[in-house]
Amino acid sequence: MSELVFAWLGEAPLPYQEGWDLQRRLHARRVADEIPDICLLLQHEPVFTAGKRTGWWDRPIVDPGAPVVDIDRGGKITWHGPGQLTGYPLVKLADPVDVLGHVRNLEEAMLRTLADFGLSGKRVEGRTGVWLEADPEHGLMERKIGAIGCRVARGVGMHGFALNCNNDLSWYSRIVPCGIPPEEGGVTSLSAELGREVEVADVVPTVERHLAAVLGAHEHRHHDGVPGWADAGPSSDEPTELAGA
């Protein structure tokens, strides 16, 4: 990878459909080699997104107070919203495509980010995403702080990762997040763990640095907004690989 452009869409939460349409337009242009690799960084308006492995039992049984959108990524149902940094790396993967390797790279970027904020994250065997170790002395079970759900179409990634910064964690009580029942794991955020407010904007530069490193970008740059590349039509390609939870 020669260059990776980070497009920070700002503090204002973006409607999910608007972000999804933008992803598809940029994906089509990346497949055509019209633009370099780009990673959208943003916050969404509150939304539940249900990946391909979502069961009916994972979904809300009453009105959850936000839309539930079925999407074409791997994994199960999760929540996006204000206070959560969501990243969509629209990057061309080396051939043969290694989707699991891509997932591990996204996890590694979040693990390194947590370390810079003084937290020791970990992977959990058989699950995707980033977790914090259980702390029985303080009544804490394993807690998920970063989620991943990916799609790869024609060799270019879509969707990506979500890192909880200072979001309202009560949203997760309305679903079975990532298919993990509450007795098997909790959900947390940087702010909840550190006991101080950590804004999404505080985390962006660290995530950019580590994601560029793990993806092997020779150089990377930050751009406020999308650099005039979103005028192509949407991609209609079917996914070749799905992964995430």
Side-chain angles (χ1 to χ4, degrees):
M1 180 185 297
S2 58
E3 180 185 25
L4 177 58
V5 177
F6 289 98
W8 165 235
L9 301 190
E11 293 286 356
L14 195 70
Y16 186 79
Q17 188 62 49
E18 186 175 334
W20 173 222
D21 290 343
L22 177 59
Q23 271 199 83
R24 292 166 67 201
R25 292 195 296 272
L26 291 172
H27 179 271
R29 299 201 66 183
R30 184 65 192 98
V31 167
D33 286 325
E34 296 175 356
I35 61 173
D37 290 313
I38 183 169
C39 180
L40 302 176
L41 296 174
L42 55 101
Q43 299 176 74
H44 276 303
E45 293 180 354
V47 63
F48 297 96
T49 62
K52 293 291 188 179
R53 295 194 302 111
T54 303
W56 64 264
W57 52 88
D58 300 317
R59 297 172 180 267
I61 58 175
V62 296
D63 180 4
V68 179
V69 180
D70 289 283
I71 57 173
D72 58 355
R73 61 161 171 79
K76 296 195 174 187
I77 193 167
T78 192
W79 173 88
H80 298 297
Q84 180 192 73
L85 175 60
T86 299
Y88 298 132
L90 305 168
V91 299
K92 186 161 286 190
L93 304 181
D95 192 31
V97 170
D98 181 359
V99 178
L100 181 57
H102 183 53
V103 168
R104 294 293 175 252
N105 281 335
L106 300 184
E107 289 173 344
E108 182 62 26
M110 287 195 285
L111 288 168
R112 295 182 188 185
T113 297
L114 292 179
D116 281 0
F117 280 86
L119 294 176
S120 180
K122 69 169 189 172
R123 296 179 174 92
V124 173
E125 186 175 355
R127 296 173 177 171
T128 60
V130 173
W131 296 73
L132 299 182
E133 192 69 70
D135 183 0
E137 285 189 17
H138 295 91
L140 297 174
M141 62 178 67
E142 288 182 330
R143 286 120 32 237
K144 193 169 190 176
I145 194 169
I148 292 175
C150 297
R151 171 192 175 190
V152 178
R154 296 191 64 187
V156 176
M158 300 185 76
H159 303 290
F161 65 91
L163 181 61
N164 292 341
C165 298
N166 64 338
N167 46 299
D168 179 358
L169 298 174
S170 68
W171 285 100
Y172 291 101
S173 66
R174 308 173 198 193
I175 57 172
V176 182
C178 302
I180 300 166
E183 64 271 16
E184 294 183 15
V187 183
T188 190
S189 68
L190 279 162
S191 296
E193 295 296 326
L194 296 173
R196 61 181 176 85
E197 282 296 297
V198 179
E199 305 282 346
V200 168
D202 300 332
V203 180
V204 167
T206 306
V207 166
E208 289 182 353
R209 176 164 51 88
H210 290 309
L211 190 59
V214 301
L215 292 179
H218 293 132
E219 59 180 83
H220 69 278
R221 57 189 171 94
H222 175 94
H223 194 281
D224 288 329
V226 181
W229 295 341
D231 54 353
S235 167
S236 60
D237 298 307
E238 288 300 314
T240 56
E241 298 284 353
L242 300 171

